[in-house]
mmCIF file of all heavy atoms in Angstrom:
data_model
loop_
_atom_site.group_PDB
_atom_site.id
_atom_site.type_symbol
_atom_site.label_atom_id
_atom_site.label_comp_id
_atom_site.label_asym_id
_atom_site.label_seq_id
_atom_site.Cartn_x
_atom_site.Cartn_y
_atom_site.Cartn_z
ATOM 1 N N GLU A 1141 0.820 -1.219 0.000
ATOM 2 C CA GLU A 1141 0.000 0.000 0.000
ATOM 3 C C GLU A 1141 0.855 1.270 0.000
ATOM 4 O O GLU A 1141 0.611 2.198 -0.773
ATOM 5 C CB GLU A 1141 -0.934 -0.011 1.211
ATOM 6 C CG GLU A 1141 -1.947 1.109 1.194
ATOM 7 C CD GLU A 1141 -2.933 1.019 2.350
ATOM 8 O OE1 GLU A 1141 -3.236 -0.098 2.801
ATOM 9 O OE2 GLU A 1141 -3.404 2.091 2.765
ATOM 10 N N ALA A 1142 1.880 1.304 0.843
ATOM 11 C CA ALA A 1142 2.738 2.493 0.920
ATOM 12 C C ALA A 1142 3.513 2.695 -0.385
ATOM 13 O O ALA A 1142 3.634 3.825 -0.860
ATOM 14 C CB ALA A 1142 3.705 2.354 2.094
ATOM 15 N N GLY A 1143 4.014 1.630 -0.952
ATOM 16 C CA GLY A 1143 4.761 1.727 -2.203
ATOM 17 C C GLY A 1143 3.906 2.222 -3.347
ATOM 18 O O GLY A 1143 4.338 3.058 -4.149
ATOM 19 N N ARG A 1144 2.675 1.712 -3.438
ATOM 20 C CA ARG A 1144 1.775 2.159 -4.505
ATOM 21 C C ARG A 1144 1.437 3.643 -4.360
ATOM 22 O O ARG A 1144 1.433 4.386 -5.342
ATOM 23 C CB ARG A 1144 0.501 1.310 -4.523
ATOM 24 C CG ARG A 1144 0.714 -0.081 -5.098
ATOM 25 C CD ARG A 1144 -0.586 -0.834 -5.260
ATOM 26 N NE ARG A 1144 -1.169 -1.209 -3.969
ATOM 27 C CZ ARG A 1144 -0.860 -2.318 -3.295
ATOM 28 N NH1 ARG A 1144 0.033 -3.160 -3.776
ATOM 29 N NH2 ARG A 1144 -1.439 -2.583 -2.153
ATOM 30 N N ALA A 1145 1.158 4.087 -3.145
ATOM 31 C CA ALA A 1145 0.845 5.499 -2.925
ATOM 32 C C ALA A 1145 2.059 6.374 -3.218
ATOM 33 O O ALA A 1145 1.944 7.413 -3.876
ATOM 34 C CB ALA A 1145 0.367 5.710 -1.491
ATOM 35 N N GLY A 1146 3.222 5.948 -2.775
ATOM 36 C CA GLY A 1146 4.430 6.727 -2.977
ATOM 37 C C GLY A 1146 4.826 6.842 -4.433
ATOM 38 O O GLY A 1146 5.211 7.914 -4.899
ATOM 39 N N ARG A 1147 4.708 5.752 -5.172
ATOM 40 C CA ARG A 1147 5.175 5.799 -6.567
ATOM 41 C C ARG A 1147 4.315 6.719 -7.423
ATOM 42 O O ARG A 1147 4.817 7.337 -8.345
ATOM 43 C CB ARG A 1147 5.282 4.400 -7.161
ATOM 44 C CG ARG A 1147 4.000 3.677 -7.388
ATOM 45 C CD ARG A 1147 4.272 2.260 -7.881
ATOM 46 N NE ARG A 1147 3.042 1.520 -8.019
ATOM 47 C CZ ARG A 1147 2.934 0.230 -7.786
ATOM 48 N NH1 ARG A 1147 3.982 -0.470 -7.424
ATOM 49 N NH2 ARG A 1147 1.786 -0.376 -7.936
ATOM 50 N N GLU A 1148 3.041 6.825 -7.126
ATOM 51 C CA GLU A 1148 2.181 7.727 -7.897
ATOM 52 C C GLU A 1148 2.582 9.181 -7.655
ATOM 53 O O GLU A 1148 2.695 9.965 -8.595
ATOM 54 C CB GLU A 1148 0.711 7.492 -7.542
ATOM 55 C CG GLU A 1148 0.203 6.115 -7.924
ATOM 56 C CD GLU A 1148 0.416 5.761 -9.390
ATOM 57 O OE1 GLU A 1148 0.200 6.619 -10.269
ATOM 58 O OE2 GLU A 1148 0.818 4.610 -9.650
ATOM 59 N N ASP A 1149 2.796 9.532 -6.395
ATOM 60 C CA ASP A 1149 3.202 10.893 -6.055
ATOM 61 C C ASP A 1149 4.561 11.225 -6.677
ATOM 62 O O ASP A 1149 4.734 12.287 -7.277
ATOM 63 C CB ASP A 1149 3.269 11.055 -4.529
ATOM 64 C CG ASP A 1149 3.823 12.418 -4.132
ATOM 65 O OD1 ASP A 1149 3.176 13.438 -4.450
ATOM 66 O OD2 ASP A 1149 4.903 12.450 -3.514
ATOM 67 N N ILE A 1150 5.494 10.319 -6.560
ATOM 68 C CA ILE A 1150 6.843 10.546 -7.093
ATOM 69 C C ILE A 1150 6.804 10.679 -8.614
ATOM 70 O O ILE A 1150 7.453 11.556 -9.181
ATOM 71 C CB ILE A 1150 7.781 9.408 -6.650
ATOM 72 C CG1 ILE A 1150 7.963 9.451 -5.132
ATOM 73 C CG2 ILE A 1150 9.125 9.486 -7.375
ATOM 74 C CD1 ILE A 1150 8.591 8.198 -4.550
ATOM 75 N N ALA A 1151 6.037 9.829 -9.264
ATOM 76 C CA ALA A 1151 5.945 9.877 -10.733
ATOM 77 C C ALA A 1151 5.438 11.236 -11.204
ATOM 78 O O ALA A 1151 5.987 11.823 -12.138
ATOM 79 C CB ALA A 1151 5.043 8.757 -11.249
ATOM 80 N N VAL A 1152 4.414 11.747 -10.566
ATOM 81 C CA VAL A 1152 3.852 13.048 -10.960
ATOM 82 C C VAL A 1152 4.887 14.148 -10.765
ATOM 83 O O VAL A 1152 5.069 15.008 -11.631
ATOM 84 C CB VAL A 1152 2.565 13.346 -10.147
ATOM 85 C CG1 VAL A 1152 2.123 14.792 -10.316
ATOM 86 C CG2 VAL A 1152 1.457 12.390 -10.553
ATOM 87 N N ARG A 1153 5.595 14.118 -9.652
ATOM 88 C CA ARG A 1153 6.570 15.172 -9.357
ATOM 89 C C ARG A 1153 7.772 15.136 -10.298
ATOM 90 O O ARG A 1153 8.243 16.172 -10.742
ATOM 91 C CB ARG A 1153 7.019 15.060 -7.907
ATOM 92 C CG ARG A 1153 5.893 15.440 -6.948
ATOM 93 C CD ARG A 1153 6.162 15.030 -5.530
ATOM 94 N NE ARG A 1153 7.369 15.630 -4.978
ATOM 95 C CZ ARG A 1153 7.887 15.249 -3.809
ATOM 96 N NH1 ARG A 1153 7.308 14.290 -3.100
ATOM 97 N NH2 ARG A 1153 8.986 15.824 -3.367
ATOM 98 N N LEU A 1154 8.273 13.939 -10.619
ATOM 99 C CA LEU A 1154 9.464 13.841 -11.459
ATOM 100 C C LEU A 1154 9.153 13.967 -12.946
ATOM 101 O O LEU A 1154 10.025 14.339 -13.727
ATOM 102 C CB LEU A 1154 10.204 12.531 -11.189
ATOM 103 C CG LEU A 1154 10.764 12.351 -9.779
ATOM 104 C CD1 LEU A 1154 11.504 11.017 -9.669
ATOM 105 C CD2 LEU A 1154 11.663 13.505 -9.378
ATOM 106 N N ALA A 1155 7.927 13.659 -13.349
ATOM 107 C CA ALA A 1155 7.557 13.717 -14.770
ATOM 108 C C ALA A 1155 7.594 15.142 -15.325
ATOM 109 O O ALA A 1155 7.608 15.332 -16.529
ATOM 110 C CB ALA A 1155 6.174 13.117 -14.979
ATOM 111 N N ARG A 1156 7.674 16.119 -14.460
ATOM 112 C CA ARG A 1156 7.779 17.518 -14.919
ATOM 113 C C ARG A 1156 9.098 17.793 -15.628
ATOM 114 O O ARG A 1156 9.179 18.696 -16.438
ATOM 115 C CB ARG A 1156 7.616 18.480 -13.742
ATOM 116 C CG ARG A 1156 6.228 18.445 -13.123
ATOM 117 C CD ARG A 1156 6.128 19.360 -11.938
ATOM 118 N NE ARG A 1156 7.086 18.919 -10.915
ATOM 119 C CZ ARG A 1156 7.674 19.721 -10.047
ATOM 120 N NH1 ARG A 1156 7.427 21.011 -10.061
ATOM 121 N NH2 ARG A 1156 8.510 19.249 -9.157
ATOM 122 N N PHE A 1157 10.140 16.991 -15.313
ATOM 123 C CA PHE A 1157 11.451 17.279 -15.893
ATOM 124 C C PHE A 1157 12.197 16.059 -16.430
ATOM 125 O O PHE A 1157 13.356 16.185 -16.839
ATOM 126 C CB PHE A 1157 12.338 18.032 -14.890
ATOM 127 C CG PHE A 1157 12.532 17.325 -13.570
ATOM 128 C CD1 PHE A 1157 13.489 16.331 -13.418
ATOM 129 C CD2 PHE A 1157 11.765 17.676 -12.483
ATOM 130 C CE1 PHE A 1157 13.674 15.705 -12.203
ATOM 131 C CE2 PHE A 1157 11.940 17.052 -11.258
ATOM 132 C CZ PHE A 1157 12.899 16.064 -11.116
ATOM 133 N N ALA A 1158 11.574 14.907 -16.487
ATOM 134 C CA ALA A 1158 12.245 13.715 -17.027
ATOM 135 C C ALA A 1158 11.191 12.705 -17.470
ATOM 136 O O ALA A 1158 10.018 12.811 -17.099
ATOM 137 C CB ALA A 1158 13.156 13.092 -15.971
ATOM 138 N N PHE A 1159 11.627 11.720 -18.264
ATOM 139 C CA PHE A 1159 10.745 10.628 -18.656
ATOM 140 C C PHE A 1159 10.702 9.652 -17.486
ATOM 141 O O PHE A 1159 11.740 9.165 -17.025
ATOM 142 C CB PHE A 1159 11.266 9.918 -19.908
ATOM 143 C CG PHE A 1159 10.473 8.701 -20.253
ATOM 144 C CD1 PHE A 1159 9.263 8.807 -20.906
ATOM 145 C CD2 PHE A 1159 10.932 7.441 -19.900
ATOM 146 C CE1 PHE A 1159 8.526 7.680 -21.216
ATOM 147 C CE2 PHE A 1159 10.208 6.307 -20.200
ATOM 148 C CZ PHE A 1159 8.996 6.433 -20.853
ATOM 149 N N VAL A 1160 9.510 9.351 -16.992
ATOM 150 C CA VAL A 1160 9.360 8.496 -15.821
ATOM 151 C C VAL A 1160 8.553 7.257 -16.185
ATOM 152 O O VAL A 1160 7.503 7.353 -16.830
ATOM 153 C CB VAL A 1160 8.638 9.252 -14.673
ATOM 154 C CG1 VAL A 1160 8.403 8.333 -13.487
ATOM 155 C CG2 VAL A 1160 9.439 10.477 -14.260
ATOM 156 N N ARG A 1161 9.065 6.131 -15.752
ATOM 157 C CA ARG A 1161 8.343 4.873 -15.907
ATOM 158 C C ARG A 1161 8.181 4.261 -14.520
ATOM 159 O O ARG A 1161 9.121 4.238 -13.727
ATOM 160 C CB ARG A 1161 9.114 3.909 -16.802
ATOM 161 C CG ARG A 1161 8.303 2.663 -17.127
ATOM 162 C CD ARG A 1161 9.011 1.792 -18.107
ATOM 163 N NE ARG A 1161 9.999 1.011 -17.381
ATOM 164 C CZ ARG A 1161 10.806 0.140 -17.957
ATOM 165 N NH1 ARG A 1161 10.783 -0.032 -19.248
ATOM 166 N NH2 ARG A 1161 11.660 -0.548 -17.247
ATOM 167 N N VAL A 1162 6.992 3.791 -14.227
ATOM 168 C CA VAL A 1162 6.714 3.165 -12.940
ATOM 169 C C VAL A 1162 6.712 1.651 -13.139
ATOM 170 O O VAL A 1162 6.023 1.142 -14.022
ATOM 171 C CB VAL A 1162 5.355 3.633 -12.376
ATOM 172 C CG1 VAL A 1162 5.016 2.892 -11.097
ATOM 173 C CG2 VAL A 1162 5.358 5.137 -12.149
ATOM 174 N N HIS A 1163 7.503 0.956 -12.327
ATOM 175 C CA HIS A 1163 7.513 -0.498 -12.381
ATOM 176 C C HIS A 1163 6.577 -1.028 -11.301
ATOM 177 O O HIS A 1163 6.717 -0.691 -10.129
ATOM 178 C CB HIS A 1163 8.920 -1.056 -12.146
ATOM 179 C CG HIS A 1163 8.952 -2.545 -12.092
ATOM 180 N ND1 HIS A 1163 8.862 -3.311 -13.235
ATOM 181 C CD2 HIS A 1163 9.019 -3.410 -11.063
ATOM 182 C CE1 HIS A 1163 8.895 -4.592 -12.899
ATOM 183 N NE2 HIS A 1163 8.980 -4.662 -11.583
ATOM 184 N N CYS A 1164 5.614 -1.848 -11.703
ATOM 185 C CA CYS A 1164 4.698 -2.488 -10.761
ATOM 186 C C CYS A 1164 5.028 -3.972 -10.724
ATOM 187 O O CYS A 1164 5.106 -4.626 -11.768
ATOM 188 C CB CYS A 1164 3.251 -2.297 -11.208
ATOM 189 S SG CYS A 1164 2.758 -0.575 -11.338
ATOM 190 N N PHE A 1165 5.224 -4.501 -9.543
ATOM 191 C CA PHE A 1165 5.490 -5.926 -9.399
ATOM 192 C C PHE A 1165 4.201 -6.714 -9.583
ATOM 193 O O PHE A 1165 3.112 -6.209 -9.320
ATOM 194 C CB PHE A 1165 6.105 -6.218 -8.028
ATOM 195 C CG PHE A 1165 7.513 -5.730 -7.899
ATOM 196 C CD1 PHE A 1165 7.786 -4.525 -7.277
ATOM 197 C CD2 PHE A 1165 8.563 -6.461 -8.413
ATOM 198 C CE1 PHE A 1165 9.082 -4.064 -7.156
ATOM 199 C CE2 PHE A 1165 9.871 -6.015 -8.306
ATOM 200 C CZ PHE A 1165 10.123 -4.815 -7.679
ATOM 201 N N ASP A 1166 4.335 -7.950 -10.008
ATOM 202 C CA ASP A 1166 3.168 -8.774 -10.328
ATOM 203 C C ASP A 1166 2.499 -9.399 -9.112
ATOM 204 O O ASP A 1166 1.406 -9.936 -9.227
ATOM 205 C CB ASP A 1166 3.547 -9.863 -11.338
ATOM 206 C CG ASP A 1166 4.678 -10.755 -10.855
ATOM 207 O OD1 ASP A 1166 5.245 -10.492 -9.773
ATOM 208 O OD2 ASP A 1166 5.000 -11.717 -11.568
ATOM 209 N N GLN A 1167 3.141 -9.333 -7.939
ATOM 210 C CA GLN A 1167 2.563 -9.944 -6.739
ATOM 211 C C GLN A 1167 2.683 -9.004 -5.552
ATOM 212 O O GLN A 1167 3.693 -8.306 -5.390
ATOM 213 C CB GLN A 1167 3.286 -11.243 -6.394
ATOM 214 C CG GLN A 1167 3.133 -12.333 -7.407
ATOM 215 C CD GLN A 1167 3.986 -13.550 -7.049
ATOM 216 O OE1 GLN A 1167 4.682 -13.563 -6.042
ATOM 217 N NE2 GLN A 1167 3.933 -14.566 -7.887
ATOM 218 N N GLU A 1168 1.685 -9.001 -4.721
ATOM 219 C CA GLU A 1168 1.699 -8.227 -3.489
ATOM 220 C C GLU A 1168 2.914 -8.619 -2.646
ATOM 221 O O GLU A 1168 3.239 -9.799 -2.537
ATOM 222 C CB GLU A 1168 0.401 -8.481 -2.708
ATOM 223 C CG GLU A 1168 0.278 -7.713 -1.421
ATOM 224 C CD GLU A 1168 -0.021 -6.230 -1.629
ATOM 225 O OE1 GLU A 1168 -0.442 -5.823 -2.728
ATOM 226 O OE2 GLU A 1168 0.177 -5.476 -0.663
ATOM 227 N N GLY A 1169 3.587 -7.628 -2.098
ATOM 228 C CA GLY A 1169 4.724 -7.883 -1.222
ATOM 229 C C GLY A 1169 6.073 -7.972 -1.923
ATOM 230 O O GLY A 1169 7.100 -7.963 -1.255
ATOM 231 N N ARG A 1170 6.066 -8.074 -3.249
ATOM 232 C CA ARG A 1170 7.364 -8.147 -3.950
ATOM 233 C C ARG A 1170 8.067 -6.807 -3.893
ATOM 234 O O ARG A 1170 7.435 -5.760 -3.792
ATOM 235 C CB ARG A 1170 7.171 -8.565 -5.405
ATOM 236 C CG ARG A 1170 6.929 -10.066 -5.521
ATOM 237 C CD ARG A 1170 7.200 -10.634 -6.867
ATOM 238 N NE ARG A 1170 8.644 -10.731 -7.120
ATOM 239 C CZ ARG A 1170 9.163 -10.897 -8.324
ATOM 240 N NH1 ARG A 1170 8.380 -10.987 -9.382
ATOM 241 N NH2 ARG A 1170 10.454 -10.984 -8.496
ATOM 242 N N GLN A 1171 9.379 -6.878 -3.976
ATOM 243 C CA GLN A 1171 10.206 -5.687 -3.924
ATOM 244 C C GLN A 1171 11.486 -5.929 -4.706
ATOM 245 O O GLN A 1171 11.741 -7.056 -5.128
ATOM 246 C CB GLN A 1171 10.480 -5.302 -2.480
ATOM 247 C CG GLN A 1171 11.023 -6.439 -1.617
ATOM 248 C CD GLN A 1171 11.049 -6.053 -0.157
ATOM 249 O OE1 GLN A 1171 11.518 -4.982 0.195
ATOM 250 N NE2 GLN A 1171 10.540 -6.915 0.694
ATOM 251 N N PRO A 1172 12.297 -4.903 -4.929
ATOM 252 C CA PRO A 1172 13.501 -5.062 -5.742
ATOM 253 C C PRO A 1172 14.426 -6.186 -5.281
ATOM 254 O O PRO A 1172 15.073 -6.826 -6.100
ATOM 255 C CB PRO A 1172 14.186 -3.696 -5.639
ATOM 256 C CG PRO A 1172 13.058 -2.753 -5.431
ATOM 257 C CD PRO A 1172 12.081 -3.497 -4.563
ATOM 258 N N THR A 1173 14.483 -6.452 -3.992
ATOM 259 C CA THR A 1173 15.368 -7.505 -3.497
ATOM 260 C C THR A 1173 14.939 -8.888 -3.964
ATOM 261 O O THR A 1173 15.726 -9.822 -3.936
ATOM 262 C CB THR A 1173 15.452 -7.494 -1.960
ATOM 263 O OG1 THR A 1173 14.124 -7.601 -1.427
ATOM 264 C CG2 THR A 1173 16.132 -6.237 -1.455
ATOM 265 N N SER A 1174 13.702 -9.033 -4.420
ATOM 266 C CA SER A 1174 13.214 -10.348 -4.860
ATOM 267 C C SER A 1174 13.459 -10.598 -6.351
ATOM 268 O O SER A 1174 13.125 -11.663 -6.861
ATOM 269 C CB SER A 1174 11.718 -10.494 -4.548
ATOM 270 O OG SER A 1174 10.962 -9.572 -5.308
ATOM 271 N N LEU A 1175 14.048 -9.631 -7.059
ATOM 272 C CA LEU A 1175 14.296 -9.790 -8.491
ATOM 273 C C LEU A 1175 15.506 -10.680 -8.754
ATOM 274 O O LEU A 1175 16.510 -10.597 -8.043
ATOM 275 C CB LEU A 1175 14.539 -8.427 -9.149
ATOM 276 C CG LEU A 1175 13.358 -7.473 -9.214
ATOM 277 C CD1 LEU A 1175 13.813 -6.106 -9.690
ATOM 278 C CD2 LEU A 1175 12.281 -8.024 -10.119
ATOM 279 N N SER A 1176 15.415 -11.496 -9.784
ATOM 280 C CA SER A 1176 16.559 -12.296 -10.219
ATOM 281 C C SER A 1176 17.439 -11.449 -11.132
ATOM 282 O O SER A 1176 17.020 -10.385 -11.609
ATOM 283 C CB SER A 1176 16.079 -13.529 -10.979
ATOM 284 O OG SER A 1176 15.512 -13.139 -12.223
#
């Protein structure tokens, strides 16, 4: 929940000056440390 809320706010703020892509994980609870 916190990650989803944060990424939307961050995307809007940074998109004013750069190309922004939001990565959404396919399962609840996943995070960058779980990537192969």
Side-chain angles (χ1 to χ4, degrees):
E1141 188 176 329
R1144 285 187 290 274
R1147 69 184 176 214
E1148 296 306 318
D1149 174 63
I1150 294 166
V1152 168
R1153 290 166 60 190
L1154 297 181
R1156 294 178 299 150
F1157 56 83
F1159 174 79
V1160 176
R1161 187 174 81 180
V1162 175
H1163 176 76
C1164 301
F1165 289 98
D1166 57 355
Q1167 295 175 0
E1168 181 74 17
R1170 282 200 74 196
Q1171 52 190 312
T1173 56
S1174 65
L1175 292 171
S1176 69

